[in-house]
Amino acid sequence: MFNRLKKRRLIIAVAAVAAVVFGWLGFSTYQYIQHDPSFCTSCHIMDDAYGRWSESVHSVIDCHACHTPNLKANLRQLYTYWTDPPEKPRHAPELENTVCYKCHHTGDPEHPEATPAGEQWREVLAEAGHQEHVKVQRIQCIRCHSTSLHKFVPPTDICKECHTRLKLGDSGMSNHHCLSCHSFKATGRENLRPIREDCLKCHEAMHVGTETFPQSEAPMHWDCRQCHKPHDKQFLDVEDCKGCHASQIENSPIHGVAAHATCTQCHKPHTWAIDPKTSCMGCHPDREKHAMGNACHMCHK
């Protein structure tokens, strides 16, 4: 009887040790498969994806922080790779914005599923560009940030993928990137369209012939895009001016003179006020001493 009890205890001990060993092996295997990115390299076609991930800013998190396939998808993928091994990945994983919001968010109440982000993350939803593309247009993050596997910085020509009809053509700005004017990362902005301050960052210091750019005394203090349409044409013409000044042009005889058909011939861009010495006398030098002391527009309306 003593031997039988001793034998039973031995069996229980062996079983306990075996349970611990197999439990540890099972847990380690599960952890390796589910949470160790190096597991992905067990399939050679993932070498490129793993390499790019390891060099990206996301190398500090594991694969399943973003990729969370269900059991059915995992089994289907396993079957495919055992029965008909592909030479390269056959599909691009689709990620909803909610996955990105887990880290990249600003506490937006519209997205309660997101947890508060630390200071190490850019408050992306506070930026004008992300406000428009993510919150208004509801575009998926990976549409711009993952055009190439695990390359998260958008390529320079990504805007053209959607904005195919917006071209600069011969506007003089054809060599500029979209973000030169559209301040994607500006905060506290209602939209992504350039405002006066954006334009003046480059143009205030420019000098083109006798043209000057808006100074504090200039009469126009609204956004430049109310007159300038860089995606349509480079220079404004009389039809553009008529958009606001139709009555002044049509009801003033001096504006009906054929030689005065171009507004900027007399009204210098961004200054606009007529200076007889530089405007009228430029074409009428023989009238310099005519009606001395009186400005031309006193008689010529």
Side-chain angles (χ1 to χ4, degrees):
M1 185 173 179
F2 176 77
N3 290 336
R4 183 182 301 174
L5 180 61
K6 186 176 182 180
K7 184 177 181 180
R8 181 181 299 174
R9 289 178 178 176
L10 179 61
I11 292 174
I12 293 174
V14 171
V17 171
V20 171
V21 171
F22 283 106
W24 180 82
L25 289 174
F27 178 76
S28 298
T29 301
Y30 174 82
Q31 287 292 101
Y32 174 64
I33 294 174
Q34 293 294 322
H35 302 295
D36 189 340
S38 63
F39 170 71
C40 298
T41 60
S42 60
C43 180
H44 73 280
I45 68 171
M46 295 302 294
D47 289 345
D48 186 42
Y50 181 85
R52 292 185 182 182
W53 165 83
S54 63
E55 296 174 356
S56 76
V57 295
H58 287 171
S59 60
V60 295
I61 60 177
D62 62 58
C63 305
H64 284 176
C66 299
H67 304 288
T68 54
N70 55 40
L71 180 60
K72 181 180 179 181
N74 283 337
L75 292 176
R76 183 175 63 249
Q77 182 169 306
L78 183 62
Y79 174 79
T80 299
Y81 278 65
W82 274 102
T83 58
D84 184 21
E87 292 299 319
K88 59 182 180 179
R90 291 180 175 177
H91 69 283
E94 296 181 1
L95 299 180
E96 294 292 330
N97 283 356
T98 52
V99 174
C100 305
Y101 293 161
K102 292 177 182 178
C103 296
H104 302 282
H105 112 293
T106 60
D108 191 338
E110 292 185 15
H111 304 288
E113 73 281 358
T115 56
E119 293 182 359
Q120 71 271 28
W121 299 115
R122 183 181 297 278
E123 296 182 344
V124 292
L125 293 185
E127 299 172 347
H130 287 103
Q131 284 276 349
E132 176 64 26
H133 291 78
V134 179
K135 297 189 68 175
V136 178
Q137 301 295 333
R138 301 291 179 182
I139 297 174
Q140 297 299 309
C141 302
I142 61 172
R143 180 69 180 83
C144 300
H145 287 283
S146 190
T147 57
S148 182
L149 189 62
H150 288 158
K151 285 189 175 181
F152 301 104
V153 177
T156 56
D157 59 348
I158 188 62
C159 304
K160 297 178 182 178
E161 294 293 322
C162 295
H163 302 283
T164 55
R165 293 183 298 175
L166 296 179
K167 301 182 184 299
L168 291 171
D170 60 352
S171 67
M173 300 176 65
S174 56
N175 292 326
H176 288 69
H177 190 273
C178 305
L179 300 188
S180 298
C181 299
H182 300 277
S183 297
F184 197 94
K185 296 185 178 181
T187 57
R189 293 272 290 274
E190 294 182 356
N191 57 54
L192 191 54
R193 293 180 179 179
I195 58 177
R196 180 185 178 90
E197 288 73 16
D198 295 322
C199 302
L200 293 182
K201 288 177 183 177
C202 293
H203 290 279
E204 194 168 30
M206 290 183 178
H207 298 284
V208 183
T210 59
E211 184 175 354
T212 58
F213 287 88
Q215 304 297 325
S216 58
E217 66 275 9
M220 296 179 176
H221 289 278
W222 47 75
D223 285 346
C224 306
R225 58 189 170 89
Q226 287 193 266
C227 296
H228 297 280
K229 313 297 180 186
H231 292 293
D232 296 328
K233 56 185 177 182
Q234 180 176 6
F235 300 108
L236 304 181
D237 55 36
V238 67
E239 294 303 318
D240 295 300
C241 300
K242 283 182 177 179
C244 293
H245 302 285
S247 60
Q248 294 96 319
I249 295 174
E250 294 172 0
N251 298 325
S252 175
I254 197 171
H255 288 105
V257 177
H260 297 166
T262 304
C263 304
T264 54
Q265 184 174 347
C266 300
H267 301 276
K268 297 306 178 184
H270 303 130
T271 302
W272 306 115
I274 295 294
D275 179 358
K277 290 296 183 181
T278 57
S279 297
C280 302
M281 293 303 110
C283 294
H284 306 284
D286 57 322
R287 296 291 190 270
E288 185 173 2
K289 296 182 179 181
H290 176 69
M292 291 290 290
N294 294 313
C296 303
H297 66 271
M298 296 297 292
C299 300
H300 303 278
K301 304 293 185 181

